[in-house]
Amino acid sequence: MPRRFVAVLSALAAAMPGLASAAEPVPVATFKDWSVFVREIEGDRICFAATAAKDKSPKSVNHGDVFLIVASWKSGAATNQPSLMTGYNLKEAPAPTLRVGADKWDMYVSENEAFIESAKAEASLVNAMRRGADLRVSAMSSRGTATSYMMSLQGITAALDRVAQSCK
């Protein structure tokens, strides 16, 4: 598991609202392009799979670190909840979109993160991710720069299986 990837994810997770009392994420395993982590937060365990963007566009701007994360809580508060984390604040409109093959999901924005609105849409996305080869993201920075990313889905099925095992 690349050290830089672990360090960046730890820094990003530490910056997430309400998680100041949380322990640092602990790397569990890597499956091709996806890494699995666990983290104890306020008496609950969060297990998540994460991957970094393989391709960032436009090349002329500083995107910072861009990750796609799929998280589950041991308490059952959420299961297989996908989110996008960027190195900059996102614009709410147009909404960021995810594409796997011909299927598309709109997201809602909270600063530098984006989420899927409903549990049904989350499940649909995760099922498509398990079958797909890559995931494409389109987003707009708060400064008005149109951005796009490609994330590999190689290893996602094994990573999500390990997430589920880690949060039993």
Side-chain angles (χ1 to χ4, degrees), residues 3 5 12 14 28 35 40 47 61 65 72 74 78 93 101 109 125 128 145 148 151-152 154 157:
R3 279 181 199 255
F5 187 64
L12 283 171
V28 174
S35 295
E40 302 297 327
C47 306
V61 301
D65 295 305
S72 293
K74 185 174 183 174
V109 170
L125 170 59
T145 303
S148 62
M151 274 83 163
S152 168
Q154 291 186 12
T157 297

Side-chain angles (χ1 to χ4, degrees), residues 110-166:
S110 177
E111 298 179 4
N112 69 324
E113 293 181 89
F115 303 91
I116 302 294
E117 188 70 39
S118 73
K120 182 178 178 181
E122 288 175 344
S124 171
L125 170 59
V126 170
N127 286 336
M129 289 170 63
R130 287 178 180 265
R131 295 185 315 268
D134 60 50
L135 179 140
R136 306 275 173 178
V137 178
S138 297
M140 182 77 64
S141 77
S142 61
R143 294 181 178 179
T145 303
T147 59
S148 62
Y149 307 102
M150 189 281 292
M151 274 83 163
S152 168
L153 296 175
Q154 291 186 12
I156 185 66
T157 297
L160 290 179
D161 290 348
R162 184 62 180 267
V163 164
Q165 178 186 23
S166 297

Side-chain angles (χ1 to χ4, degrees), residues 71-101:
S72 293
W73 280 248
K74 185 174 183 174
S75 67
T79 302
N80 287 337
Q81 181 182 60
S83 64
L84 172 71
M85 292 184 82
T86 60
Y88 56 90
N89 283 345
L90 296 160
K91 201 171 204 176
E92 291 182 25
T97 59
L98 303 178
R99 291 184 187 272
V100 178

Side-chain angles (χ1 to χ4, degrees), residues 6-44:
V6 172
V8 170
L9 268 178
S10 294
L12 283 171
M16 293 169 71
L19 302 185
S21 64
E24 289 295 312
V26 176
V28 174
T30 299
F31 302 94
K32 296 186 181 177
D33 293 322
W34 286 78
S35 295
V36 176
F37 300 85
V38 297
R39 182 174 196 175
E40 302 297 327
I41 299 175
E42 298 174 4
D44 201 356

